Structures are given as structure tokens and as C-alpha cells.
Amino acid sequence: MSGDDALPSEMVATFHEFHSSLSELENTLQPYLDLPLDEMYEALSPIEQAKSELVTAYTVNSLYWSFLTTQGVTLDQHPLKKEMDRIQKYMRKVKLLESELKGVRPPTGHNPPTHQTIDKYAAARFIKRGLKKEESLTEKRRKVEPASEEQR
């Protein structure tokens, strides 16, 4: 068997895709890797620094998680799961703080929406009810005004 015949063609194709993805990732990260960490942090706000630290910690733990998974380790009760949950909790806290600093209503729940949506039907109901109330108030005013003019 030659070197090319040792692996099935599907695996070779997958490895080539993986290699090209890693190369693309290296090219994308190269500007950040060229900067000294101190210089990069000076350019970031404190909230951005916290986000950067959390993303780094989560990435390292995710890579270790992947390694342990390839080794057949059961991770349900592993301390790494608690650590990743802790990092995710702090990510949510930073996201909440960031939304408060921007003056935006903080997101609720564990998975905040990525964009705001409007329920068109609910908005239409509110508008119709508001218009009906306004119409009824206008009618009441009209009934009261002629009565007050008659008293004069």
C-alpha cells in the first residue's frame, strides 16, 4: 500500500478541508498574533478586555474538551464542565453589563435574541384598541359639550 492508499479518499478530502480551514484561521488571526498582548489590551476598553479574556478561556477549555472527548473520557461529571458553565455565566454577566452601559434594555433568559422583533399582530391590536378608546372619548365629549352649552 502506498501513502495515498493508506486512507480512504473521503478521509483525505476531509483532512485537506481541515488543513485549509486551519490555514484560513491562521491568516485571519495573524494580525492579532503579531501584536504584543500588552499593546493589544491598551487599545481595548475594560469591557472588551473582559470579553477577550473570557473568549480565550472558553476557547482553551473547548479545545481541551475536544481532546478529552477524543480520548474517550466521559465529561458529564468532569470538572471541566463546571468550569465551562462558570465561564458561560460570566459571559452572560458581561453581556448584561454591556447592554446596561449602552442604555439598552437587558436581555432576558439564557439565550438573548440577536435582534429585536416586533409582533405585527399585537401592535395592530394595540393600535385598534387605542383608536376605539379615542373614538369613544371623542363621542363622550361631544355629548357633554352640547349639554354644557344648553346650560349656559
Side-chain angles (χ1 to χ4, degrees), residues 60-102:
V60 168
N61 282 300
S62 295
L63 289 171
Y64 188 55
W65 179 285
S66 298
F67 170 73
L68 290 175
T69 302
T70 62
Q71 301 303 309
V73 175
T74 305
L75 298 168
D76 293 337
Q77 300 299 320
H78 198 277
L80 184 60
K81 181 166 176 38
K82 288 181 184 177
E83 179 64 14
M84 291 186 72
D85 290 341
R86 186 182 72 84
I87 294 170
Q88 286 177 340
K89 180 179 95 175
Y90 281 105
M91 286 176 152
R92 285 190 297 272
K93 284 184 177 184
V94 168
K95 187 172 276 195
L96 182 67
L97 178 63
E98 187 176 34
S99 65
E100 287 176 6
L101 290 174
K102 288 181 180 176

Side-chain angles (χ1 to χ4, degrees), residues 4 16 26 28 36 44 50 52 57 59 72 77-78 96 101 110 120 123 125 127 132 139 141 147 150:
D4 292 334
H16 284 296
E26 282 180 347
T28 303
L44 299 175
S52 174
T59 302
Q77 300 299 320
H78 198 277
L96 182 67
L101 290 174
H110 294 289
K120 294 178 193 177
R125 286 193 307 267
I127 292 170
K132 285 181 183 178
E139 288 178 26
R141 287 183 192 143
E150 289 175 8

